[in-house]
Amino acid sequence: MIAATPLSGQFELDQTPKGWQQQLADAVTDPLELCRILQLDPETILPVLERSPEFALRVPRSYVAKMRQADPRDPLLLQVLPLIEENSRVPGYGTDPVGDLDARAATGVLHKYQGRALVIATGACAIHCRYCFRRHFPYAEESGLQAGWQTVLAALKADPTLSEIILSGGDPLSLSDRRLQQFTDALREVPHVLRLRIHTRYPVVLPDRIEQGLLNWLASAPLQKVVVIHANHAREIDSSVHRACTDLRGAGVTLLNQTVLLKGVNDSVETLTDLSEALFAAGVLPYYLHVLDKVQGAAHFDVDEARALEIHADLATRLPGYLVPRLVREVAGAPAKMPVRA
Ligand SMILES: *Cc1c(COP(=O)(O)O)cnc(C)c1O
Ligand code: SF4
């Protein structure tokens, strides 16, 4: 994933809270700096670190602040730290694990499932998640924003079976409010589209992105709105995340969450129970628990299927049904996300 373009080089040092764009520009990208902030010994960390220029370390400072000091196994840290294991070439792990490129309906539009099309709005993200299944996606050629959304809009218009558009990426909320407004303004000419869904990590990893301009845009869009956030651990969900979620609901948004089951991060029934509880406390329902997509560089996060089923079955004995996410796998060419079954 490419980083969002920093806005300008120099910032004045003052006491006013930084806006989200400034926080993006100010994200931690240097592993040594991350070690310094977290009081981790670079001598012990560096031998395991990977230099990954095309998918570099990237993490907002407010997210770093939620990590535990001096803990190399911290579940938030593990989501962003580029490890030398990323170099392993493991059979079965590829650069397009879920068949995205075969599902292209137009530049920047993926169409896999009936009634729903997914728009690759941008390649930029606030954070670089090491297990991301689109970490090798050719965003430069396949972003829907090119030509001012026109190719995307023409494709959506031409297919009256579509009732739901999913803005994805990358992270679509990396785009400015003005760009997003342009998109929904153009959607007014596509009357068969009833629902707008947004897949985003911003409410979790940079909640200040959920500001008034964005809320105004959402509230004014004449569509049903669903925002699917992406939290993997209860410790990601603090008061600033609560505030962002409350504001999104206030703008008429239904909030769901998807989680990726990740070894060392959340592969225990206690961790996932706490996560569901924390999500509901923030007004968010758990939607999917994804087993890892087999993307090159992420094999060290894999939890085997038998263990995934065991955790999921345990989860169902501890929580009300509405707090148990569906355990699914994405299978290239399948007509839906597939339930993982024994
Ligand atoms: C995951 C995905 C969707 C959404 O699937 P739901 O089961 O509706 O959440 C839609 N389109 C594509 C291409 C997807 O990968
Ligand atoms: S998982 Fe989402 S936020 Fe993380 S790098 Fe991938 S697209 Fe970006």
Side-chain angles (χ1 to χ4, degrees):
M1 219 127 309
I2 45 171
T5 315
L7 294 179
S8 66
Q10 296 299 314
F11 304 117
E12 286 178 33
L13 288 170
D14 65 21
Q15 299 305 310
T16 49
K18 289 180 179 174
W20 68 272
Q21 280 152 317
Q22 200 173 346
Q23 292 183 53
L24 267 188
D26 207 21
V28 179
T29 54
D30 174 2
L32 278 177
E33 188 188 3
L34 188 59
C35 289
R36 258 198 317 278
I37 299 173
L38 294 174
Q39 295 179 321
L40 288 166
D41 178 9
E43 296 290 310
T44 50
I45 293 286
L46 280 184
V48 302
L49 280 182
E50 160 62 351
R51 281 181 183 280
S52 174
E54 71 292 350
F55 190 59
L57 170 75
R58 176 167 195 84
V59 54
R61 285 169 201 275
S62 59
Y63 189 83
V64 175
K66 300 179 197 175
M67 296 174 185
R68 270 193 299 258
Q69 294 279 303
D71 179 5
R73 311 299 307 161
D74 179 84
L76 281 57
L77 175 66
L78 290 179
Q79 293 180 51
V80 302
L81 199 62
L83 299 180
I84 206 85
E85 282 98 320
E86 294 189 14
N87 282 339
S88 310
R89 291 295 166 261
V90 180
Y93 286 74
T95 55
D96 182 17
V98 299
D100 273 342
L101 296 178
D102 289 334
R104 264 174 308 188
T107 303
V109 181
L110 306 183
H111 190 186
K112 286 186 182 173
Y113 308 141
Q114 192 170 336
R116 289 149 287 166
L118 183 146
V119 175
I120 301 288
T122 169
C125 292
I127 191 166
H128 285 176
C129 313
R130 306 318 301 175
Y131 52 84
C132 178
F133 72 100
R134 290 209 182 105
R135 56 180 289 171
H136 305 287
F137 193 82
Y139 287 111
E141 302 98 73
E142 287 296 333
S143 151
L145 182 61
Q146 287 167 24
W149 302 112
Q150 282 169 42
T151 336
V152 170
L153 262 304
L156 304 183
K157 222 174 204 168
D159 186 350
T161 68
L162 295 175
S163 56
E164 177 166 334
I165 302 306
I166 302 168
L167 284 179
S168 182
D171 196 313
L173 297 192
S174 297
L175 298 178
S176 68
D177 300 342
R178 186 178 57 86
R179 288 286 194 201
L180 295 166
Q181 178 86 49
Q182 275 174 358
F183 182 70
T184 47
D185 282 351
L187 264 191
R188 285 172 199 258
E189 286 165 44
V190 192
H192 50 266
V193 171
L194 309 174
R195 288 189 301 281
L196 176 69
R197 191 196 314 183
I198 300 173
H199 283 181
T200 177
R201 276 209 95 177
Y202 272 91
V204 176
V205 303
L206 188 49
D208 285 352
R209 172 68 185 96
I210 312 306
E211 33 73 270
Q212 202 54 51
L214 185 82
L215 296 166
N216 292 346
W217 164 63
L218 283 168
S220 67
L223 296 156
Q224 291 180 292
K225 285 143 303 216
V226 180
V227 169
V228 184
I229 68 170
H230 170 181
N232 295 319
H233 196 283
R235 283 207 1 253
E236 295 176 313
I237 301 169
D238 64 4
S239 59
S240 61
V241 176
H242 275 239
R243 193 280 308 161
C245 291
T246 303
D247 285 353
L248 284 168
R249 277 183 296 130
V253 168
T254 298
L255 282 173
L256 305 172
N257 178 67
Q258 47 187 343
T259 296
V260 183
L261 184 61
L262 299 166
K263 186 190 266 173
V265 173
N266 58 13
D267 56 334
S268 81
V269 68
E270 292 78 18
T271 305
L272 291 174
T273 302
D274 290 350
L275 174 59
S276 275
E277 300 274 10
L279 285 165
F280 192 68
V284 184
L285 283 173
Y287 178 37
Y288 281 147
L289 175 61
H290 295 268
V291 297
L292 185 78
D293 294 315
K294 295 197 179 305
V295 67
Q296 192 175 296
H300 54 291
F301 285 113
D302 192 45
V303 177
D304 72 54
E305 198 166 295
R307 177 74 186 129
L309 280 164
E310 184 184 18
I311 293 172
H312 191 250
D314 275 358
L315 203 56
T317 67
R318 298 198 183 199
L319 288 167
Y322 60 89
L323 292 187
V324 182
R326 273 159 265 195
L327 180 67
V328 292
R329 168 188 304 291
E330 181 154 355
V331 178
K337 308 273 192 249
M338 302 312 279
V340 179
R341 293 221 173 88

